[in-house]
């Protein structure tokens, strides 16, 4: 079994951890329930990082001392448990089919305050499993025992499971891999969730290039990450003015000039009047 990275277990990038803490804070503003808050994570297409974000978001909630449960609803390709290197015999699919009770399947305290309801891989009849009322009954029975329940779901372009389950949760977070998804695909995902009357909390952009080669609003976040990197490496934070006066190599000057011209083109500010 390949163990995926759990950032809240001493394994990770501090600047990414700070971004996850910001996500945790923003989601808490959107839903202030102290018991039984249910959040569904999905993506538009595969490999955008929704399992990584959902598992580490759940771990971030647990790190505050609040009880969290991570449910792997991506039965066609279950990955959520890999962040914690755990083994199990039965999963969510067996609970829905009535073969075992949910209490017998939940993995307790994989890290302090975090439980996991894993899934085994199956391919046939998955949508039909989630079309029944059984999953709603399972969530209702678990809600009183957790502050936050996180559902890791398959990509919307691959399966309709996320759309079906969106009616059982408080809100939906769509993970978008930077420069991986076309506008039409994003519009399709939003339309599908909209048809289900899902409460979309927002879209989280993942895999943003931290080198600063992205444009528009993302540039702010690139600077944000670079500040955190410098802060954690040497204990100092350079001001934006110090960044501007930092001596650049010829290549960096070329990239800077290219970015400046590109920004003018995409904003229509060809005379440089906008700041």
């Amino acid at each position: 079994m390949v163990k995926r990275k759990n950032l809240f277990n001493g394994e990770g990038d501090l600047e990414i951890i700070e971004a996850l803490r910001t996500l945790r804070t923003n989601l808490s503003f959107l839903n202030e329930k102290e018991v039984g808050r249910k959040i569904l994570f999905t993506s538009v297409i595969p490999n955008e990082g929704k399992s990584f974000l959902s598992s580490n978001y759940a771990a971030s909630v647990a790190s505050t001392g609040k009880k969290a449960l991570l449910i792997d609803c991506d039965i066609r390709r279950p990955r959520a448990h890999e962040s914690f290197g755990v083994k199990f015999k039965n999963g969510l699919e067996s609970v829905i089919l009535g073969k075992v009770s949910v209490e017998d399947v939940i993995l307790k305290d994989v890290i302090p305050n975090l439980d996991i309801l894993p899934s085994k891989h199956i391919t046939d009849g998955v949508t039909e499993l989630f079309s029944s009322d059984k999953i709603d009954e399972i969530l209702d029975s678990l809600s009183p025992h957790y502050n936050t329940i996180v559902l890791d779901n398959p990509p919307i372009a691959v399966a309709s499971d996320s759309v079906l389950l969106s009616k059982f949760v408080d809100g939906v977070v769509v993970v978008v891999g930077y420069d991986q998804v076309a506008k039409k695909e994003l519009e399709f995902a939003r339309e599908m969730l909209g048809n289900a009357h899902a409460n979309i909390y927002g879209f989280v952009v993942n895999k943003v290039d931290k080198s600063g080669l992205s444009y528009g609003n993302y540039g702010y976040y690139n600077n944000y990450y670079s500040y955190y990197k410098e802060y954690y490496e040497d204990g100092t934070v350079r001001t934006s003015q110090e960044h501007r006066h930092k001596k650049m190599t010829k290549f960096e000057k070329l990239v800077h000039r290219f970015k400046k011209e590109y920004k003018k083109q995409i904003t229509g500010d060809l005379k440089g009047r906008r700041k």
Side-chain angles (χ1 to χ4, degrees):
M1 179 189 300
V2 177
K3 185 179 179 183
R4 297 160 70 84
K5 185 176 285 190
N6 168 21
L7 296 176
F8 287 83
N9 197 23
E11 297 182 3
D13 264 321
L14 290 175
E15 57 261 43
I16 299 178
I17 291 175
E18 287 298 333
L20 283 162
R21 287 171 177 157
T22 300
L23 174 64
R24 181 185 68 203
T25 300
N26 288 336
L27 289 179
S28 71
F29 290 150
L30 291 171
N31 187 326
E32 298 180 350
K33 287 169 64 175
E34 285 299 321
V35 178
R37 181 176 59 162
K38 297 182 286 291
I39 302 176
L40 186 152
F41 278 72
T42 186
S43 61
V44 182
I45 60 175
N47 300 316
E48 294 188 88
K50 53 94 181 168
S51 292
F52 170 80
L53 279 176
S54 60
S55 60
N56 279 286
Y57 168 72
S60 75
V61 172
S63 72
T64 67
K66 295 180 178 180
K67 196 67 178 174
L69 173 67
L70 175 63
I71 303 179
D72 195 341
C73 296
D74 194 350
I75 295 180
R76 295 174 182 81
R77 193 185 180 194
R79 307 288 292 276
H81 65 281
E82 294 180 1
S83 295
F84 307 93
V86 293
K87 296 181 179 180
F88 57 95
K89 186 176 180 180
N90 295 299
L92 175 63
E93 77 296 330
S94 297
V95 178
I96 296 175
L97 292 171
K99 296 180 179 179
V100 294
S101 68
V102 67
E103 292 80 8
D104 293 334
V105 174
I106 290 178
L107 306 174
K108 300 284 188 178
D109 289 316
V110 292
I111 64 173
N113 299 311
L114 177 62
D115 297 347
I116 294 181
L117 176 48
S119 290
K120 287 283 188 180
H121 169 73
I122 62 173
T123 55
D124 297 329
V126 176
T127 300
E128 285 70 24
L129 282 180
F130 290 135
S131 296
S132 70
D133 293 330
K134 184 64 177 178
I135 186 68
D136 190 24
E137 295 173 8
I138 293 171
L139 291 172
D140 282 344
S141 69
L142 294 171
S143 291
H145 305 290
Y146 296 95
N147 166 267
T148 302
I149 297 175
V150 179
L151 286 70
D152 178 12
N153 275 65
I156 294 172
V158 172
S160 61
D161 305 359
S162 296
V163 177
L164 290 171
L165 293 179
S166 66
K167 63 182 179 179
F168 301 131
V169 300
D170 296 302
V172 176
V173 174
V174 182
V175 179
V176 180
Y178 177 68
D179 205 24
Q180 285 185 244
V181 185
K183 181 181 178 182
K184 287 184 178 180
E185 292 170 320
L186 280 172
E187 290 174 343
F188 167 77
R190 186 173 62 179
E191 181 180 357
M192 290 289 287
L193 291 170
N195 289 340
H197 304 289
N199 181 19
I200 303 175
Y201 280 159
F203 292 75
V204 177
V205 181
N206 190 33
K207 302 182 181 180
V208 176
D209 182 5
K210 294 189 289 182
S211 67
L213 295 179
S214 55
Y215 304 97
N217 292 332
Y218 297 114
Y220 169 79
Y221 294 100
N222 289 331
N223 288 335
Y224 173 84
Y225 283 124
S226 68
Y227 290 150
Y228 267 106
K229 186 173 182 180
E230 290 172 358
Y231 180 84
Y232 285 118
E233 283 180 352
D234 59 20
T236 60
V237 180
R238 295 183 179 88
T239 66
S240 58
Q241 187 174 9
E242 288 172 327
H243 274 277
R244 286 195 298 270
H245 291 292
K246 182 181 176 182
K247 188 174 181 180
M248 292 188 291
T249 65
K250 289 183 178 180
F251 176 73
E252 288 172 333
K253 289 179 180 178
L254 176 64
V255 171
H256 178 74
R257 188 165 64 250
F258 174 75
K259 288 168 60 179
K260 188 175 180 181
E261 292 303 318
Y262 185 89
K263 183 178 180 181
K264 289 181 181 179
Q265 292 292 332
I266 62 174
T267 61
D269 185 22
L270 299 181
K271 295 185 179 180
R273 292 174 179 170
R274 299 176 190 168
K275 299 296 184 183

